[in-house]
Amino acid sequence: MSASPVRLADLTPIDPTPDPTSPSAVASFAPAMTPGSALEGRTGYNADFLEGFTVPMPVVTDRAPGDVTPVDGRDDGRLDYTHFSIVMNRPRRLAFFTAFNLDGSQLRSIRRGNDRWVLDSRIPADAQCGEALYARNPLDRGHLVRRSAACWGTLAEQANQDTFHFTNCTPQMAAFNQQTWLGLEDYLKDNAARGSGRLSIFTGPVFKDSDRTYRGVRIPEAFWKVVAFIRDDGRQSATAYLITQDRELNDGLGLFFGQYQTFQKSILHIETLTGLDFGPLSHLDGFSNEERATGTRVEAVIHQLGDIRV
């Protein structure tokens, strides 16, 4: 007598996938880590990258939400990579900010490869969010310093690899990758700083107490960018941008993400949001100077890159 036909209820997964939010699922990812010796000699962000225009890194003030993750041998918490540096937020385990030099005249096309993200051994593994946060869910591993932008000059391949450290990563939903935000740096390089193609760029999350928690991590819902450059007419300039949501939708993870919008903001406003001090840059920003003169907040929605004013 032949066996009874196999029904759907009789089938079982060959490799059952656990609940992605369960402790066992999160714990199953062994972290890959770059030894500190492999990062020796990295000089990181250069404050004098723009000729005749010194642009210091932001200062984390006592108004900032959290304190700086300590780094052995440094008193500023700075982690240096190729063309960029990072300062980490200790309680949030994400970057306070990245500081990056871009030379658009020397950009090289480097093949992306396997996207192998790694931890940085110069700080403890539990001081940085690793693969356990991103595995088996819709969260993107979002570059703060863009991989393609970092690939310039003779060290382009090394810079490419350096951008895949989790210190340079923030959790983002796919909706975050809108064209106006991704194209900001390229647009400024091509239209405002055409002569040299050089920009000094700071980027980071907005940390709020109301950020929702997922897998023990509070997920930022907004990001900022401050860009310094020398205009074609020789004038020193700086501008600021914010990407955030205009409405909220439940994504099924217990998080809320919706449609993102990009705004041009004042550097003064970014300082208020972040607790960072950008030194002289707010005085080179027309939005900040207008706010000082009028006492009224100034912002502009960026529907397309041509809406940017410098």
Side-chain angles (χ1 to χ4, degrees):
M1 180 181 295
S2 61
S4 300
V6 175
R7 301 290 300 275
L8 184 61
D10 300 318
L11 303 178
T12 58
I14 294 175
D15 181 19
T17 299
D19 177 356
T21 63
S22 70
S24 60
V26 173
S28 63
F29 296 94
M33 183 173 287
T34 301
S37 59
L39 295 168
E40 288 181 0
R42 302 294 200 271
T43 56
Y45 176 78
N46 177 8
D48 295 314
F49 183 70
L50 305 178
E51 186 176 358
F53 181 12
T54 298
V55 183
M57 285 176 55
V59 174
V60 179
T61 73
D62 56 9
R63 297 180 291 101
D67 55 341
V68 172
T69 303
V71 176
D72 286 345
R74 301 203 65 109
D75 58 6
D76 55 4
R78 172 171 163 160
L79 295 166
D80 287 334
Y81 301 93
T82 307
H83 305 322
F84 66 98
S85 298
I86 296 175
V87 172
M88 296 289 288
N89 182 305
R90 185 183 58 80
R92 298 297 292 264
R93 297 189 289 143
L94 298 169
F96 251 128
F97 63 87
T98 62
F100 167 52
N101 302 126
L102 167 61
D103 187 341
S105 69
Q106 296 190 62
L107 283 172
R108 292 178 53 194
S109 178
I110 303 295
R111 187 173 181 176
R112 182 154 186 161
N114 296 323
D115 289 14
R116 181 176 179 267
W117 287 89
V118 294
L119 300 175
D120 186 331
S121 67
R122 294 175 294 183
I123 59 175
D126 60 6
Q128 46 198 313
C129 294
E131 186 60 24
L133 173 60
Y134 301 93
R136 298 172 181 159
N137 60 41
L139 287 175
D140 284 344
R141 300 159 186 81
H143 281 84
L144 288 172
V145 173
R146 290 166 51 212
R147 183 199 72 86
S148 59
C151 296
W152 61 266
T154 59
L155 298 176
E157 293 188 11
Q158 179 174 283
N160 174 63
Q161 295 173 1
D162 283 0
T163 65
F164 284 99
H165 282 88
F166 278 111
T167 49
N168 185 42
C169 184
T170 55
Q172 299 168 358
M173 297 300 286
F176 179 89
N177 292 320
Q178 65 158 326
Q179 191 64 35
T180 51
W181 183 256
L182 293 179
L184 275 171
E185 296 161 14
D186 292 338
Y187 184 82
L188 290 170
K189 169 178 61 67
D190 295 338
N191 293 276
R194 288 172 294 186
S196 68
R198 288 192 167 203
L199 306 172
S200 288
I201 304 162
F202 308 107
T203 306
V206 176
F207 295 120
K208 300 183 296 182
D209 291 339
S210 59
D211 289 335
R212 294 163 177 84
T213 300
Y214 177 69
R215 292 186 179 176
V217 178
R218 280 185 287 170
I219 309 297
E221 296 178 0
F223 296 82
W224 56 268
K225 191 184 300 287
V226 170
V227 186
F229 53 95
I230 299 174
R231 291 165 41 111
D232 285 347
D233 61 8
R235 192 177 77 190
Q236 298 174 358
S237 185
T239 57
Y241 308 89
L242 184 75
I243 184 170
T244 189
Q245 298 166 281
D246 63 352
R247 63 189 177 94
E248 296 179 344
L249 296 173
N250 193 327
D251 73 339
L253 289 176
L255 301 172
F256 292 78
F257 289 91
Q259 182 64 45
Y260 281 94
Q261 274 191 301
T262 298
F263 297 86
Q264 185 170 357
K265 297 274 192 175
S266 70
I267 293 176
L268 286 177
H269 183 62
I270 302 302
E271 289 182 327
T272 300
L273 284 178
T274 63
L276 300 176
D277 182 353
F278 289 90
L281 293 189
S282 69
H283 295 279
L284 302 173
D285 166 35
F287 279 54
S288 296
N289 290 330
E290 184 70 14
E291 289 184 356
R292 288 190 184 95
T294 64
T296 302
R297 181 174 296 173
V298 181
E299 67 176 31
V301 180
I302 305 299
H303 297 289
Q304 56 188 2
L305 292 170
D307 295 333
I308 294 172
R309 287 176 286 175
V310 299

